[in-house]
Amino acid sequence: AVPPSFANPAVVSVDENGCLNNGTYFHLKSPYDPSHTGSYWLLSQGPVEYPEVGTRDFTCWKDVYDSLEHDRYSKEYKIVLESDLDFGGYDEENSKCAMAFIPVGNSHSEIDGAGHSIKNFCHDSSFAGFVTKDYGGIIQNLVFENAYVRGDTAGVVAATFAGSLYNVTVRNSKVTGVYAGGIAGIVKSNVGGGFVSDVEIASPANCTGAECNAYLGGIAGLMQIDDATIQDARVQDMNFKRTDASYDVYAGGIVGNIVLNYDMGRTIGV
């Protein structure tokens, strides 16, 4: 396993290419294993030999992503936040995210914020969120502040979430999508301890298709599949915005809509 920390030292920001400033770095550590030989591929450097002592320092997020995604020794890993991170937010003048972000892709990982914050996170994509769609890992003890997320399916934490979430806060943020929620566009699993505050959830400016509706929720736009649960959720000071009156919008403080296959006794705890 490769347990990386997001950054060191404690206060960092990221430029438009996803690279850290002020001499800071993303740090990946792995136990020494003589079998870790050969090379792995980095987007900015090409092939890189495995280090004997099992430590790697990267200044750019894309290299951390690429190493974790393609390193055969990191199929299950834990990321620990050692600092607050600032991803630069949304560039209003140029109508784009300040950083070209790639969502965390390994669906079996664990992300522990250790009480730190990710500030000004911005992602604009069909499936928009901090982790990849259908993420199946664990996310806990993390705060998102001033996030801007836009997509067909969009949530600050994930577009579609199929893992476990505990003690995660989203505040002062904006999410826009056909399926849009403060935590996830679509929840397919277990959300516990989610707190969403001062967040605008908006439908898109246009929606096409034979049956085009939008589903907006404080936690999730849509709660889907028979074993999904939302417990200990708190939502306050929400603003739901209907951008286009030509299609229907379904909005709810916790979820916009629930689609459960079998057991209608599943839990939503507020």
Side-chain angles (χ1 to χ4, degrees):
V2 179
S5 57
F6 267 10
N8 189 15
V11 180
V12 297
S13 60
V14 181
D15 67 19
E16 64 181 10
N17 297 313
C19 299
L20 301 173
N21 60 10
N22 299 327
T24 56
Y25 53 83
F26 296 106
H27 185 60
L28 285 75
K29 299 173 287 186
S30 61
Y32 173 70
D33 186 339
S35 68
H36 289 205
T37 58
S39 62
Y40 57 97
W41 188 268
L42 293 183
L43 294 176
S44 66
Q45 301 179 39
V48 178
E49 296 298 317
Y50 283 101
E52 289 186 2
V53 295
T55 62
R56 286 167 269 172
D57 294 337
F58 303 128
T59 58
C60 297
W61 169 255
K62 63 183 179 180
D63 287 335
V64 176
Y65 165 85
D66 202 55
S67 179
L68 294 174
E69 188 72 5
H70 298 98
D71 183 349
R72 65 183 184 276
Y73 302 111
S74 63
K75 296 305 179 185
E76 296 183 4
Y77 59 83
K78 180 176 181 178
I79 291 177
V80 179
L81 204 68
E82 291 189 351
S83 67
D84 291 348
L85 276 179
D86 188 337
F87 284 101
Y90 185 72
D91 183 349
E92 295 280 357
E93 182 177 350
N94 296 300
S95 300
K96 67 176 185 177
C97 294
M99 171 190 168
F101 182 78
I102 308 173
V104 177
N106 190 319
S107 64
H108 301 292
S109 63
E110 177 181 348
I111 300 174
D112 189 341
H116 292 291
S117 298
I118 293 176
K119 301 176 180 180
N120 299 307
F121 165 65
C122 183
H123 193 211
D124 189 348
S125 180
S126 295
F127 291 90
F130 185 72
V131 295
T132 189
K133 64 177 182 177
D134 291 334
Y135 178 88
I138 299 171
I139 302 176
Q140 60 184 348
N141 307 320
L142 183 59
V143 177
F144 290 90
E145 297 183 48
N146 197 34
Y148 178 95
V149 180
R150 181 173 64 184
D152 294 332
T153 305
V156 173
V157 176
T160 57
F161 189 75
S164 297
L165 180 144
Y166 309 100
N167 191 30
V168 172
T169 296
V170 175
R171 57 177 174 241
N172 192 30
S173 298
K174 181 177 181 178
V175 182
T176 301
V178 175
Y179 298 98
I183 297 294
I186 299 175
V187 165
K188 300 181 178 182
S189 56
N190 305 313
V191 173
F195 178 42
V196 178
S197 173
D198 297 305
V199 175
E200 178 182 291
I201 311 292
S203 60
N206 54 69
C207 187
T208 59
E211 297 181 0
C212 189
N213 301 312
Y215 302 91
L216 315 178
I219 298 296
L222 182 69
M223 181 176 173
Q224 186 181 62
I225 218 166
D226 61 300
D227 59 354
T229 64
I230 297 175
Q231 296 178 303
D232 301 320
R234 294 184 295 152
V235 176
Q236 70 178 33
D237 298 328
M238 296 296 301
N239 178 25
F240 295 103
K241 183 177 180 180
R242 183 179 184 178
T243 307
D244 188 337
S246 66
Y247 58 89
D248 292 330
V249 175
Y250 300 88
I254 300 297
V255 295
N257 193 20
I258 302 174
V259 178
L260 300 180
N261 295 335
Y262 302 108
D263 183 0
M264 292 304 291
R266 295 292 180 179
T267 302
I268 298 181
V270 182

